[in-house]
Amino acid sequence: RTRVSFSVPALVDLLWRSQPELVFSNLSHLNLILAMTRFLMPRTIKFIARESSVVSINMKQYRAQSLWRFLYNFFYHRLDMVICQTAIMQNDIVTNFSVPIEKTVIIQNPVDVENIRIMAKEGMANVIAQPSATRFRFVFVGGLRPEKRVDRLLRAFALIPPDEAGLDIVGDGPERQILHQLCDDLGLAARTRFVGFQANPYGWIKAADALLLTSDYEGAPNVVLEALALGTPVISTPASGGVREILLGQPGCVIANASTSESFAKAVNCWLNLRDKVTSEQAVEGHSVARITRQYEDQFLGLLS
């Protein structure tokens, strides 16, 4: 169906015909629809939802926020299990949306480390050398959308000495032209490149001295895990979500004190002054595909038994 809201009759029909033991859903609004319409479904089915964001923060994008909050509070606890990627996500749905903590479990995002490293090696051939003579090479990878706050990144970068670092912005999105203009206005054109969408961004991440993340909010950002898998340090804002859980205590990584351009510039300068700028590729061992899939399997089988 073209929209989740149009899918309910077909979904109910499908589940009555197929009679599955378990339904696993992976999108926040689809999770809510299943919780709301569960009374129409066979009672033998177990419903598991995976949350990919902090619901109360993600909800700020919606119209009629009070209605959405009511729906989550009234229906979400009817699911049999909610899988959260971070402790912050778990605390959010337990505290703000009346989901019993015993119905929640934390399973972190998986990282296909072996495949990422192979793709990074292949992608290095497409990485273009920086024209400016700077000591370090930074990279941003993501959509050029308001919540990613690339404007904050550019304003922070303007506070970094010109000979210290160049910046590659990998990605595309609705803010591209605005950010191009801001880059020119800030006098960053000589050391900042917009390289556009890259089907294989891993070579760019591997080639960088550090990955920069300036978002207002994140769930459990895959790009951070992927950078760590490639041994690339991360400098980040304290974005709401799982960023702190991933980066706190990681060698070579720095978390800004606040989500402002000035604070992020200080974090970058802090990184520049680190004696050891190397992070550990072992940081993502706990996110291996084999380990995470086993955790999912254990939860599914446990619920069915």
PDB file of all heavy atoms in Angstrom, residues 140-168:
ATOM      1  N   PHE A 140      31.745  14.626   6.821  1.00  0.00           N
ATOM      2  CA  PHE A 140      30.367  14.484   7.283  1.00  0.00           C
ATOM      3  C   PHE A 140      29.673  13.571   6.279  1.00  0.00           C
ATOM      4  O   PHE A 140      29.803  13.761   5.068  1.00  0.00           O
ATOM      5  CB  PHE A 140      29.649  15.836   7.334  1.00  0.00           C
ATOM      6  CG  PHE A 140      28.144  15.699   7.455  1.00  0.00           C
ATOM      7  CD1 PHE A 140      27.544  15.598   8.696  1.00  0.00           C
ATOM      8  CD2 PHE A 140      27.336  15.643   6.313  1.00  0.00           C
ATOM      9  CE1 PHE A 140      26.168  15.442   8.809  1.00  0.00           C
ATOM     10  CE2 PHE A 140      25.967  15.492   6.418  1.00  0.00           C
ATOM     11  CZ  PHE A 140      25.375  15.396   7.670  1.00  0.00           C
ATOM     12  N   VAL A 141      28.913  12.583   6.776  1.00  0.00           N
ATOM     13  CA  VAL A 141      28.164  11.687   5.902  1.00  0.00           C
ATOM     14  C   VAL A 141      26.721  11.644   6.383  1.00  0.00           C
ATOM     15  O   VAL A 141      26.454  11.273   7.529  1.00  0.00           O
ATOM     16  CB  VAL A 141      28.757  10.259   5.905  1.00  0.00           C
ATOM     17  CG1 VAL A 141      27.924   9.339   5.018  1.00  0.00           C
ATOM     18  CG2 VAL A 141      30.209  10.278   5.443  1.00  0.00           C
ATOM     19  N   GLY A 142      25.801  12.044   5.516  1.00  0.00           N
ATOM     20  CA  GLY A 142      24.389  12.011   5.905  1.00  0.00           C
ATOM     21  C   GLY A 142      23.541  12.872   4.986  1.00  0.00           C
ATOM     22  O   GLY A 142      24.051  13.547   4.084  1.00  0.00           O
ATOM     23  N   GLY A 143      22.243  12.837   5.225  1.00  0.00           N
ATOM     24  CA  GLY A 143      21.320  13.650   4.451  1.00  0.00           C
ATOM     25  C   GLY A 143      21.434  15.121   4.818  1.00  0.00           C
ATOM     26  O   GLY A 143      21.645  15.464   5.986  1.00  0.00           O
ATOM     27  N   LEU A 144      21.334  15.979   3.830  1.00  0.00           N
ATOM     28  CA  LEU A 144      21.407  17.427   4.078  1.00  0.00           C
ATOM     29  C   LEU A 144      20.002  17.911   4.428  1.00  0.00           C
ATOM     30  O   LEU A 144      19.322  18.577   3.657  1.00  0.00           O
ATOM     31  CB  LEU A 144      21.980  18.142   2.851  1.00  0.00           C
ATOM     32  CG  LEU A 144      23.335  17.608   2.361  1.00  0.00           C
ATOM     33  CD1 LEU A 144      23.872  18.481   1.235  1.00  0.00           C
ATOM     34  CD2 LEU A 144      24.342  17.517   3.503  1.00  0.00           C
ATOM     35  N   ARG A 145      19.587  17.544   5.656  1.00  0.00           N
ATOM     36  CA  ARG A 145      18.251  17.844   6.164  1.00  0.00           C
ATOM     37  C   ARG A 145      18.367  18.670   7.438  1.00  0.00           C
ATOM     38  O   ARG A 145      19.410  18.660   8.107  1.00  0.00           O
ATOM     39  CB  ARG A 145      17.486  16.544   6.446  1.00  0.00           C
ATOM     40  CG  ARG A 145      17.365  15.623   5.244  1.00  0.00           C
ATOM     41  CD  ARG A 145      16.432  14.450   5.555  1.00  0.00           C
ATOM     42  NE  ARG A 145      16.877  13.690   6.714  1.00  0.00           N
ATOM     43  CZ  ARG A 145      17.730  12.661   6.651  1.00  0.00           C
ATOM     44  NH1 ARG A 145      18.249  12.308   5.483  1.00  0.00           N
ATOM     45  NH2 ARG A 145      18.074  11.998   7.739  1.00  0.00           N
ATOM     46  N   PRO A 146      17.306  19.392   7.806  1.00  0.00           N
ATOM     47  CA  PRO A 146      17.385  20.304   8.955  1.00  0.00           C
ATOM     48  C   PRO A 146      17.887  19.671  10.240  1.00  0.00           C
ATOM     49  O   PRO A 146      18.701  20.270  10.960  1.00  0.00           O
ATOM     50  CB  PRO A 146      15.937  20.795   9.106  1.00  0.00           C
ATOM     51  CG  PRO A 146      15.366  20.706   7.739  1.00  0.00           C
ATOM     52  CD  PRO A 146      16.000  19.503   7.111  1.00  0.00           C
ATOM     53  N   GLU A 147      17.414  18.435  10.554  1.00  0.00           N
ATOM     54  CA  GLU A 147      17.790  17.837  11.842  1.00  0.00           C
ATOM     55  C   GLU A 147      19.266  17.457  11.917  1.00  0.00           C
ATOM     56  O   GLU A 147      19.818  17.270  13.008  1.00  0.00           O
ATOM     57  CB  GLU A 147      16.923  16.609  12.144  1.00  0.00           C
ATOM     58  CG  GLU A 147      17.152  15.407  11.244  1.00  0.00           C
ATOM     59  CD  GLU A 147      16.302  15.436   9.984  1.00  0.00           C
ATOM     60  OE1 GLU A 147      15.756  16.510   9.650  1.00  0.00           O
ATOM     61  OE2 GLU A 147      16.190  14.383   9.330  1.00  0.00           O
ATOM     62  N   LYS A 148      19.941  17.363  10.765  1.00  0.00           N
ATOM     63  CA  LYS A 148      21.363  17.011  10.762  1.00  0.00           C
ATOM     64  C   LYS A 148      22.238  18.215  11.092  1.00  0.00           C
ATOM     65  O   LYS A 148      23.424  18.057  11.399  1.00  0.00           O
ATOM     66  CB  LYS A 148      21.770  16.427   9.405  1.00  0.00           C
ATOM     67  CG  LYS A 148      21.106  15.100   9.075  1.00  0.00           C
ATOM     68  CD  LYS A 148      21.474  14.017  10.072  1.00  0.00           C
ATOM     69  CE  LYS A 148      20.876  12.679   9.708  1.00  0.00           C
ATOM     70  NZ  LYS A 148      21.209  11.619  10.686  1.00  0.00           N
ATOM     71  N   ARG A 149      21.669  19.397  10.976  1.00  0.00           N
ATOM     72  CA  ARG A 149      22.332  20.656  11.370  1.00  0.00           C
ATOM     73  C   ARG A 149      23.727  20.822  10.750  1.00  0.00           C
ATOM     74  O   ARG A 149      24.709  21.134  11.427  1.00  0.00           O
ATOM     75  CB  ARG A 149      22.408  20.755  12.891  1.00  0.00           C
ATOM     76  CG  ARG A 149      21.059  20.899  13.578  1.00  0.00           C
ATOM     77  CD  ARG A 149      20.248  22.085  13.060  1.00  0.00           C
ATOM     78  NE  ARG A 149      20.955  23.330  13.113  1.00  0.00           N
ATOM     79  CZ  ARG A 149      20.916  24.153  14.167  1.00  0.00           C
ATOM     80  NH1 ARG A 149      20.183  23.847  15.221  1.00  0.00           N
ATOM     81  NH2 ARG A 149      21.582  25.279  14.139  1.00  0.00           N
ATOM     82  N   VAL A 150      23.780  20.645   9.430  1.00  0.00           N
ATOM     83  CA  VAL A 150      25.044  20.889   8.730  1.00  0.00           C
ATOM     84  C   VAL A 150      25.387  22.375   8.772  1.00  0.00           C
ATOM     85  O   VAL A 150      26.557  22.753   8.695  1.00  0.00           O
ATOM     86  CB  VAL A 150      24.969  20.366   7.283  1.00  0.00           C
ATOM     87  CG1 VAL A 150      26.308  20.530   6.571  1.00  0.00           C
ATOM     88  CG2 VAL A 150      24.570  18.893   7.276  1.00  0.00           C
ATOM     89  N   ASP A 151      24.375  23.228   8.925  1.00  0.00           N
ATOM     90  CA  ASP A 151      24.649  24.660   9.110  1.00  0.00           C
ATOM     91  C   ASP A 151      25.483  24.882  10.371  1.00  0.00           C
ATOM     92  O   ASP A 151      26.415  25.700  10.379  1.00  0.00           O
ATOM     93  CB  ASP A 151      23.338  25.453   9.181  1.00  0.00           C
ATOM     94  CG  ASP A 151      22.465  25.050  10.365  1.00  0.00           C
ATOM     95  OD1 ASP A 151      22.326  23.831  10.625  1.00  0.00           O
ATOM     96  OD2 ASP A 151      21.919  25.954  11.033  1.00  0.00           O
ATOM     97  N   ARG A 152      25.154  24.143  11.433  1.00  0.00           N
ATOM     98  CA  ARG A 152      25.942  24.235  12.680  1.00  0.00           C
ATOM     99  C   ARG A 152      27.375  23.774  12.433  1.00  0.00           C
ATOM    100  O   ARG A 152      28.336  24.378  12.933  1.00  0.00           O
ATOM    101  CB  ARG A 152      25.284  23.379  13.755  1.00  0.00           C
ATOM    102  CG  ARG A 152      26.080  23.299  15.064  1.00  0.00           C
ATOM    103  CD  ARG A 152      25.409  22.327  16.021  1.00  0.00           C
ATOM    104  NE  ARG A 152      24.135  22.853  16.458  1.00  0.00           N
ATOM    105  CZ  ARG A 152      23.082  22.101  16.782  1.00  0.00           C
ATOM    106  NH1 ARG A 152      23.163  20.789  16.689  1.00  0.00           N
ATOM    107  NH2 ARG A 152      21.959  22.653  17.181  1.00  0.00           N
ATOM    108  N   LEU A 153      27.517  22.714  11.646  1.00  0.00           N
ATOM    109  CA  LEU A 153      28.840  22.194  11.325  1.00  0.00           C
ATOM    110  C   LEU A 153      29.667  23.242  10.588  1.00  0.00           C
ATOM    111  O   LEU A 153      30.838  23.484  10.922  1.00  0.00           O
ATOM    112  CB  LEU A 153      28.699  20.935  10.474  1.00  0.00           C
ATOM    113  CG  LEU A 153      29.965  20.371   9.819  1.00  0.00           C
ATOM    114  CD1 LEU A 153      31.005  20.044  10.862  1.00  0.00           C
ATOM    115  CD2 LEU A 153      29.633  19.146   8.981  1.00  0.00           C
ATOM    116  N   LEU A 154      29.077  23.890   9.599  1.00  0.00           N
ATOM    117  CA  LEU A 154      29.812  24.889   8.819  1.00  0.00           C
ATOM    118  C   LEU A 154      30.205  26.088   9.684  1.00  0.00           C
ATOM    119  O   LEU A 154      31.326  26.598   9.579  1.00  0.00           O
ATOM    120  CB  LEU A 154      28.973  25.343   7.625  1.00  0.00           C
ATOM    121  CG  LEU A 154      28.750  24.275   6.532  1.00  0.00           C
ATOM    122  CD1 LEU A 154      27.778  24.795   5.480  1.00  0.00           C
ATOM    123  CD2 LEU A 154      30.073  23.867   5.892  1.00  0.00           C
ATOM    124  N   ARG A 155      29.281  26.528  10.541  1.00  0.00           N
ATOM    125  CA  ARG A 155      29.603  27.674  11.419  1.00  0.00           C
ATOM    126  C   ARG A 155      30.714  27.308  12.403  1.00  0.00           C
ATOM    127  O   ARG A 155      31.564  28.146  12.738  1.00  0.00           O
ATOM    128  CB  ARG A 155      28.347  28.145  12.143  1.00  0.00           C
ATOM    129  CG  ARG A 155      27.339  28.834  11.215  1.00  0.00           C
ATOM    130  CD  ARG A 155      26.204  29.486  11.994  1.00  0.00           C
ATOM    131  NE  ARG A 155      25.353  30.261  11.107  1.00  0.00           N
ATOM    132  CZ  ARG A 155      24.270  29.784  10.504  1.00  0.00           C
ATOM    133  NH1 ARG A 155      23.893  28.522  10.716  1.00  0.00           N
ATOM    134  NH2 ARG A 155      23.553  30.545   9.695  1.00  0.00           N
ATOM    135  N   ALA A 156      30.706  26.078  12.876  1.00  0.00           N
ATOM    136  CA  ALA A 156      31.783  25.623  13.763  1.00  0.00           C
ATOM    137  C   ALA A 156      33.096  25.537  12.997  1.00  0.00           C
ATOM    138  O   ALA A 156      34.158  25.930  13.496  1.00  0.00           O
ATOM    139  CB  ALA A 156      31.421  24.267  14.364  1.00  0.00           C
ATOM    140  N   PHE A 157      33.025  25.043  11.768  1.00  0.00           N
ATOM    141  CA  PHE A 157      34.227  24.879  10.957  1.00  0.00           C
ATOM    142  C   PHE A 157      34.878  26.221  10.651  1.00  0.00           C
ATOM    143  O   PHE A 157      36.102  26.307  10.515  1.00  0.00           O
ATOM    144  CB  PHE A 157      33.872  24.140   9.670  1.00  0.00           C
ATOM    145  CG  PHE A 157      35.028  23.426   9.053  1.00  0.00           C
ATOM    146  CD1 PHE A 157      35.680  22.400   9.733  1.00  0.00           C
ATOM    147  CD2 PHE A 157      35.485  23.756   7.789  1.00  0.00           C
ATOM    148  CE1 PHE A 157      36.763  21.740   9.167  1.00  0.00           C
ATOM    149  CE2 PHE A 157      36.555  23.095   7.218  1.00  0.00           C
ATOM    150  CZ  PHE A 157      37.195  22.086   7.900  1.00  0.00           C
ATOM    151  N   ALA A 158      34.039  27.252  10.567  1.00  0.00           N
ATOM    152  CA  ALA A 158      34.575  28.595  10.316  1.00  0.00           C
ATOM    153  C   ALA A 158      35.427  29.086  11.481  1.00  0.00           C
ATOM    154  O   ALA A 158      36.229  30.020  11.325  1.00  0.00           O
ATOM    155  CB  ALA A 158      33.426  29.564  10.057  1.00  0.00           C
ATOM    156  N   LEU A 159      35.269  28.467  12.648  1.00  0.00           N
ATOM    157  CA  LEU A 159      36.028  28.863  13.835  1.00  0.00           C
ATOM    158  C   LEU A 159      37.330  28.082  13.983  1.00  0.00           C
ATOM    159  O   LEU A 159      38.112  28.334  14.891  1.00  0.00           O
ATOM    160  CB  LEU A 159      35.172  28.665  15.094  1.00  0.00           C
ATOM    161  CG  LEU A 159      33.836  29.429  15.129  1.00  0.00           C
ATOM    162  CD1 LEU A 159      33.035  29.035  16.372  1.00  0.00           C
ATOM    163  CD2 LEU A 159      34.073  30.929  15.092  1.00  0.00           C
ATOM    164  N   ILE A 160      37.561  27.130  13.067  1.00  0.00           N
ATOM    165  CA  ILE A 160      38.784  26.316  13.085  1.00  0.00           C
ATOM    166  C   ILE A 160      39.829  26.989  12.196  1.00  0.00           C
ATOM    167  O   ILE A 160      39.510  27.440  11.093  1.00  0.00           O
ATOM    168  CB  ILE A 160      38.497  24.885  12.560  1.00  0.00           C
ATOM    169  CG1 ILE A 160      37.331  24.254  13.315  1.00  0.00           C
ATOM    170  CG2 ILE A 160      39.747  24.015  12.636  1.00  0.00           C
ATOM    171  CD1 ILE A 160      37.546  24.116  14.793  1.00  0.00           C
ATOM    172  N   PRO A 161      41.082  27.088  12.646  1.00  0.00           N
ATOM    173  CA  PRO A 161      42.127  27.707  11.804  1.00  0.00           C
ATOM    174  C   PRO A 161      42.153  27.085  10.408  1.00  0.00           C
ATOM    175  O   PRO A 161      42.120  25.857  10.274  1.00  0.00           O
ATOM    176  CB  PRO A 161      43.411  27.412  12.583  1.00  0.00           C
ATOM    177  CG  PRO A 161      42.970  27.299  14.014  1.00  0.00           C
ATOM    178  CD  PRO A 161      41.605  26.672  13.962  1.00  0.00           C
ATOM    179  N   PRO A 162      42.231  27.912   9.357  1.00  0.00           N
ATOM    180  CA  PRO A 162      42.130  27.420   7.967  1.00  0.00           C
ATOM    181  C   PRO A 162      43.144  26.356   7.590  1.00  0.00           C
ATOM    182  O   PRO A 162      42.854  25.494   6.768  1.00  0.00           O
ATOM    183  CB  PRO A 162      42.344  28.704   7.135  1.00  0.00           C
ATOM    184  CG  PRO A 162      41.968  29.813   8.046  1.00  0.00           C
ATOM    185  CD  PRO A 162      42.361  29.376   9.420  1.00  0.00           C
ATOM    186  N   ASP A 163      44.335  26.399   8.184  1.00  0.00           N
ATOM    187  CA  ASP A 163      45.359  25.435   7.786  1.00  0.00           C
ATOM    188  C   ASP A 163      45.244  24.104   8.526  1.00  0.00           C
ATOM    189  O   ASP A 163      45.994  23.173   8.259  1.00  0.00           O
ATOM    190  CB  ASP A 163      46.754  26.021   8.005  1.00  0.00           C
ATOM    191  CG  ASP A 163      47.005  26.404   9.459  1.00  0.00           C
ATOM    192  OD1 ASP A 163      46.020  26.566  10.217  1.00  0.00           O
ATOM    193  OD2 ASP A 163      48.180  26.531   9.847  1.00  0.00           O
ATOM    194  N   GLU A 164      44.288  23.992   9.455  1.00  0.00           N
ATOM    195  CA  GLU A 164      44.184  22.781  10.263  1.00  0.00           C
ATOM    196  C   GLU A 164      43.455  21.644   9.542  1.00  0.00           C
ATOM    197  O   GLU A 164      43.873  20.487   9.613  1.00  0.00           O
ATOM    198  CB  GLU A 164      43.465  23.076  11.593  1.00  0.00           C
ATOM    199  CG  GLU A 164      44.311  23.838  12.591  1.00  0.00           C
ATOM    200  CD  GLU A 164      45.412  22.978  13.206  1.00  0.00           C
ATOM    201  OE1 GLU A 164      45.513  21.777  12.870  1.00  0.00           O
ATOM    202  OE2 GLU A 164      46.193  23.510  14.012  1.00  0.00           O
ATOM    203  N   ALA A 165      42.342  21.961   8.890  1.00  0.00           N
ATOM    204  CA  ALA A 165      41.546  20.855   8.356  1.00  0.00           C
ATOM    205  C   ALA A 165      40.713  21.254   7.155  1.00  0.00           C
ATOM    206  O   ALA A 165      40.231  22.387   7.054  1.00  0.00           O
ATOM    207  CB  ALA A 165      40.631  20.291   9.450  1.00  0.00           C
ATOM    208  N   GLY A 166      40.509  20.279   6.250  1.00  0.00           N
ATOM    209  CA  GLY A 166      39.546  20.395   5.172  1.00  0.00           C
ATOM    210  C   GLY A 166      38.331  19.547   5.502  1.00  0.00           C
ATOM    211  O   GLY A 166      38.397  18.642   6.335  1.00  0.00           O
ATOM    212  N   LEU A 167      37.222  19.836   4.846  1.00  0.00           N
ATOM    213  CA  LEU A 167      35.963  19.153   5.152  1.00  0.00           C
ATOM    214  C   LEU A 167      35.314  18.633   3.873  1.00  0.00           C
ATOM    215  O   LEU A 167      35.128  19.379   2.909  1.00  0.00           O
ATOM    216  CB  LEU A 167      35.003  20.123   5.859  1.00  0.00           C
ATOM    217  CG  LEU A 167      33.581  19.634   6.113  1.00  0.00           C
ATOM    218  CD1 LEU A 167      33.570  18.440   7.071  1.00  0.00           C
ATOM    219  CD2 LEU A 167      32.717  20.774   6.655  1.00  0.00           C
ATOM    220  N   ASP A 168      34.963  17.345   3.879  1.00  0.00           N
ATOM    221  CA  ASP A 168      34.179  16.750   2.799  1.00  0.00           C
ATOM    222  C   ASP A 168      32.777  16.473   3.319  1.00  0.00           C
ATOM    223  O   ASP A 168      32.615  15.841   4.371  1.00  0.00           O
ATOM    224  CB  ASP A 168      34.806  15.437   2.317  1.00  0.00           C
ATOM    225  CG  ASP A 168      36.110  15.655   1.577  1.00  0.00           C
ATOM    226  OD1 ASP A 168      36.216  16.673   0.868  1.00  0.00           O
ATOM    227  OD2 ASP A 168      37.015  14.814   1.713  1.00  0.00           O
TER     228      ASP A 168
END
